[in-house]
Every structure is written in C-alpha cells, then in structure tokens.
Amino acid sequence: MERETMAGSSLYVEQDPEAFHGGGVQKNLDDDGRVKRTGTMVTASAHIITAVIGSGVLSLAWAIAQLGWVAGPAVLMAFSFVTYFTSTLLADSYRSPDPVAGKRNYTYMDVVRAHLGGRKVQLCGLAQYGNLVGITIGYTITASISMVAVERSNCFHRHGHEAKCQPSNYPFMIIFACIQIILSQIPDFDKLSWLSILAAVMSFAYSSIGLGLSIAKVVGGEAHARTTLMGTTVGVDVSGSEKVWRVFQAVGDIAFAYAYSTVLVEIQDTLKSSPPENKVMKRASLIGISTTTSFYVLCGCVGYAAFGNAAPGNFLTGFGFYEPFWLVDFVNVCIAVHLIGAYQVFCQPIFAFVENCCSKRWPNNTLITREIPIHIPGYGVYHLNLFRLMWRTAYVVVTAVVAMIFPFFNDFLGLLGAASFWPLTVYFPVEMYIARTKMRKFSFTWTWLKILSWACLVVSLVAAAGSVQGLIQDLKTYKPFQTQ
C-alpha cells in the first residue's frame, strides 16, 4: 500500500511501515519513507551563513555608533551567545520524543506541536511565517539598494562626489523579483545547497571587502572620525529622545543580524540521518555563528572606527566609500547575489507550508498535485507543477510591491529582528526544552531559563518600539512610488 502526498512543495511517495519489515529501509529512502536526505555539516553551515550574514551586517557600523565602544561589542556578543545556546535546544527538538531516534518533525510548527501543542502551535506559525514574509520583503529592499548603489557609484565617479545621483529603486526591485520568480520554481529546500554555497561565498566577499575598506579609511590619513565610549553624544550628534530611540533601534538591527531560527528546523531536515542530525546541526550552528560573529564584530567595530558617530545606516551602499569605484561596484554586486540566494532560503519554508496545506485540503485537485515532466537540454527532466508556478510567482510579486511601498532599510530590519528574536529564537526553544526534560518548576535551571526568556522579551519590546518610531518618522515625509 502506498499513498501520494505533498512533502513541502513536491510530490513524494510515503511507504507503508510494513514495507520496511524484513528487508530494512530501502536504499533510496530514509526512515520516514521520504527520499534520502543528502545534507551535511558543510551544506548546513552554508545555509546558516547565508541566512545569518545577510543585510544585517551592513547596518552594524551604524548600530555600534549608537551604542558606543562599550555596549556595542557587548550586545553583539550577548546576541551571539543566546542565539547559539537556544539553537542547540532547538536542534535537539527536531526529533521527538528522543532527539536521536524519535519521530522527525519537518517544520518549526511541527516541532512546537510535538513538544508543546495547543495554541502555541498557531502562535509559532504566526510568528515564523509572518517573520519570513517580512524578511523576504526586507531582502527585496536591500538588494535593490545595492543594485542602485552600482549605478550611483558610476555616476559619482563620472560627475564628482557632490553630484545628485539618485536613481529610482523601483526598476531594480522589478529585476530582483523577476530573478526570484525563476529561482522560486526550485522544488524544495534540499535542492538549494548550490545556491546557498554561492551566496555564502558572496557574503564572505562583501564582508571582507567592507572590512578592508574600513581599515584603509582608518589608517589612510583621512580626517579623524569622532568615536566615544557611549556612542552618539546627546546635544552634539542627537537629541536626548533621538538617542533613546536610536539605541532601541540599534538593538533591533543586531537582533535581525542573528535571525536564522526561523529556518533552523527546515535546514536540519535536509541532513543525512547518520551521524545524528542534532549533533551535526549543533556543530554547523557553532561554525556558522562563530564565523558570522567574528565578521560582525570586525565589520561593526572597524566600520565605527572609520566613520565614527556619523556612520551611515548602510556602510557599503550609504556611500561612506566612493573609491575605488569598481571595487564598490563589485561589493554591491556581491550583496545582490547573496540576497538572491538568501531570499530563497527564507521563502522556501513559506512555499512548503502553503503547498502542503493545499494538498491536504484538496488532495484530488490535479492543478495542485499534477507534475508535468518537461525535458530541458543540459538539465534533464524538470517536473512542472502549475499551482507551484502560479502561487510562487504571485508571492514574489506581492513582496516586491510591498517593498516598493515601504523601502526603509534600517527601521524595517530593526522591526523584523525585534518581532522574531524573542518568540522564535528564545521562547519556544526554552519552553520545548523545559517540556522535553520535564524540568521541575522553580529549580535552579528552570529559574535561569525563565529569567533569560523574560529578559529577551524586554529587549524585543524596546527594539520594536525604536523601529516603529523610526518608521513613523520616515512615513511623515515619504511618498510611495515617487521617482526621483
């Protein structure tokens, strides 16, 4: 007996458990009847680096400028520690009830359903998928800014640094959306490894070049940038209220820079079952987070040293650097290529969720379930699904339109980071760990885990407040779809 269903976004055959009796698991299938997973620590690390080193790194010099030499690096390290700690808790929750031999849970919602259940499953879904949608919108904004920066860089080189070079972002958002419409037809997460590895290479490239340009600016004998222990100075750089709001927003930007818990379970679901997925995922998380933290501290601190309290919101596209113009162009191309891959890492769980729900709701609808084989020269057979084509195209178009209406970089990043950090990075992993280990209330470990969770809730709330205030200020003067 066998039954057809949708796994993520592509059709697969789930075997009856009796099919495994006597002969063991078939060679090309995993223990759950799905096609054998091929992910490794290398591919998982690439997915993590692609997800973590994103547009967040571009705002870190500005964030450090708001916090100063003392609080800035301290906040960065605190977020990296909390993110790694809670990612290990989440990795152990992928299988239930046993982290090694238990039943697989394919999505974050499945994990919460297995360990917590009830209303928390719906709350998790709202937080996760709402955040994923927001990130794809944010990446559309950031990629267009980088594409525009290439045109601006060439304009400044031809006409001088004082020239009014302000091309519109909208054509580049449309270009980015067209690319994503094509890439969105990649059936599922497991087929994204090549794109994530390419995107990870791009992220290393532009982070390293940005770091190098900052170092050159510091040691190059240019005008000394004013830095302080406490960051921007009240009465000199900002007013008292601006200082408070900017500090809140900076915390949100740093939280966004570490956001990958939204896709951790989906990444873990690509791993081979031997060695155990939780052990591989913990090692991949350690590699990914330690690597990105090193880049973050260097880019943030050296960027602050280069620009001081006047650091731009985006230190590569905000034109803290003008020359060499070809290198600035290359950096921004790297950012755009990286974000093309990162967009797919974050939108594939959305695609899988919607397509899985539709297949369960309408199992006999041929529009949803039918796969049309198409022979593509040099590629082989591609299985076209008309529902996948229409729905994914519509999703990309909608995110592009929203990005055109609200093209605000720093405030948008801060709000996304604040909205996702506490529920997805801290609250659910901690609560699932407590439930899984049947931890006694008010024990020493239980108390400290709760203190950590509540402290992170406060951080998320103040970061959200700062970002909302920044968005309100932007909206006072912004006119949607106005070209310059």
Side-chain angles (χ1 to χ4, degrees):
M1 180 182 73
E2 61 183 33
R3 58 189 172 89
E4 290 185 346
T5 183
M6 292 286 285
S9 56
S10 58
L11 206 62
Y12 77 103
V13 178
E14 186 174 325
Q15 303 291 331
D16 189 284
E18 294 179 3
F20 300 97
H21 291 172
V25 178
Q26 294 183 16
K27 288 184 179 180
N28 64 333
L29 299 176
D30 265 329
D31 55 350
D32 59 346
R34 295 193 176 189
V35 176
K36 247 190 192 320
R37 295 158 177 84
T38 57
T40 64
M41 185 174 67
V42 173
T43 61
S45 299
H47 284 315
I48 292 170
I49 292 170
T50 299
V52 179
I53 297 187
S55 52
V57 70
L58 305 174
S59 66
L60 289 181
W62 180 89
I64 298 293
Q66 312 315 309
L67 297 169
W69 286 118
V70 177
V75 171
L76 272 173
M77 296 305 297
F79 272 98
S80 68
F81 171 77
V82 171
T83 302
Y84 172 68
F85 172 68
T86 56
S87 71
T88 63
L89 302 183
L90 190 53
D92 281 336
S93 302
Y94 169 66
R95 287 181 181 262
S96 60
D98 183 79
V100 176
K103 175 183 174 293
R104 295 175 187 268
N105 298 291
Y106 306 117
T107 67
Y108 204 138
M109 283 182 71
D110 290 340
V111 170
V112 174
R113 183 179 292 109
H115 293 282
L116 299 176
R119 284 289 181 87
K120 291 180 180 178
V121 179
Q122 285 72 36
L123 292 174
C124 171
L126 183 63
Q128 181 189 11
Y129 293 108
N131 182 253
L132 289 173
V133 171
I135 289 174
T136 56
I137 294 169
Y139 279 6
T140 303
I141 296 170
T142 313
S144 70
I145 291 172
S146 295
M147 293 175 182
V148 164
V150 174
E151 189 171 334
R152 292 184 67 199
S153 172
N154 293 328
C155 175
F156 286 133
H157 179 70
R158 290 193 302 267
H159 304 294
H161 298 173
E162 304 303 319
K164 292 184 179 180
C165 300
Q166 296 290 341
S168 172
N169 286 25
Y170 301 133
F172 296 97
M173 288 186 182
I174 294 170
I175 292 171
F176 182 81
C178 291
I179 294 170
Q180 293 303 337
I181 287 172
I182 296 171
L183 291 177
S184 291
Q185 300 313 309
I186 295 173
D188 52 49
F189 218 134
D190 199 39
K191 304 296 188 295
L192 279 179
S193 296
W194 67 272
L195 188 58
S196 280
I197 291 172
L198 173 63
V201 171
M202 293 296 101
S203 67
F204 279 122
Y206 71 71
S207 299
S208 300
I209 294 171
L211 177 62
L213 289 171
S214 297
I215 293 172
K217 189 175 179 67
V218 171
V219 302
E222 297 184 26
H224 177 67
R226 185 173 60 84
T227 64
T228 57
L229 289 177
M230 303 304 292
T232 50
T233 305
V234 175
V236 178
D237 304 301
V238 291
S239 65
S241 60
E242 283 178 330
K243 173 70 175 180
V244 173
W245 290 121
R246 286 191 177 195
V247 166
F248 289 172
Q249 186 185 331
V251 172
D253 284 358
I254 294 174
F256 177 82
Y258 281 102
Y260 88 101
S261 296
T262 46
V263 292
L264 185 147
V265 175
E266 284 79 1
I267 293 173
Q268 191 167 346
D269 190 46
T270 67
L271 295 175
K272 294 188 290 188
S273 56
S274 180
E277 303 93 346
N278 63 328
K279 293 183 179 179
V280 175
M281 196 65 198
K282 288 177 184 178
R283 289 198 293 269
S285 294
L286 179 61
I287 292 170
I289 293 175
S290 59
T291 301
T292 54
T293 299
S294 299
F295 270 102
Y296 283 178
V297 171
L298 287 171
C299 288
C301 293
V302 177
Y304 180 43
F307 299 108
N309 292 343
N314 184 325
F315 86 129
L316 287 177
T317 63
F319 283 88
F321 307 107
Y322 290 92
E323 301 293 341
F325 81 98
W326 57 267
L327 187 57
V328 175
D329 288 353
F330 177 73
V331 165
N332 283 293
V333 169
C334 288
I335 295 172
V337 172
H338 169 256
L339 293 177
I340 287 170
Y343 184 102
Q344 285 299 313
V345 169
F346 284 103
C347 72
Q348 282 290 338
I350 303 171
F351 296 158
F353 175 74
V354 171
E355 289 156 19
N356 195 34
C357 288
C358 290
S359 68
K360 290 178 180 177
R361 179 68 178 82
W362 300 286
N364 299 318
N365 189 315
T366 56
L367 176 67
I368 296 173
T369 59
R370 187 185 177 196
E371 301 276 339
I372 304 171
I374 298 176
H375 294 272
I376 301 176
Y379 174 82
V381 179
Y382 174 78
H383 294 277
L384 175 67
N385 181 287
L386 293 178
F387 174 70
R388 183 169 66 222
L389 175 64
M390 292 186 293
W391 129 250
R392 294 188 181 192
T393 299
Y395 175 85
V396 173
V397 170
V398 170
T399 57
V401 171
V402 175
M404 290 177 183
I405 297 173
F406 301 107
F408 310 120
F409 177 73
N410 275 60
D411 300 316
F412 202 84
L413 259 57
L415 185 58
L416 290 175
S420 66
F421 175 69
W422 178 70
L424 299 173
T425 303
V426 181
Y427 175 74
F428 285 117
V430 166
E431 291 300 310
M432 288 189 290
Y433 177 73
I434 291 173
R436 183 166 54 82
T437 58
K438 297 179 174 61
M439 191 177 296
R440 184 170 54 85
K441 276 190 176 183
F442 305 111
S443 63
F444 179 80
T445 305
W446 183 93
T447 302
W448 279 108
L449 286 174
K450 289 291 186 179
I451 290 173
L452 172 66
S453 181
W454 283 104
C456 291
L457 172 60
V458 173
V459 169
S460 284
L461 290 174
V462 298
S467 298
V468 169
Q469 191 271 345
L471 283 171
I472 291 171
Q473 294 301 315
D474 289 334
L475 288 170
K476 286 180 179 179
T477 57
Y478 175 69
K479 295 180 180 179
F481 301 109
Q482 177 178 289
T483 58
Q484 297 180 1

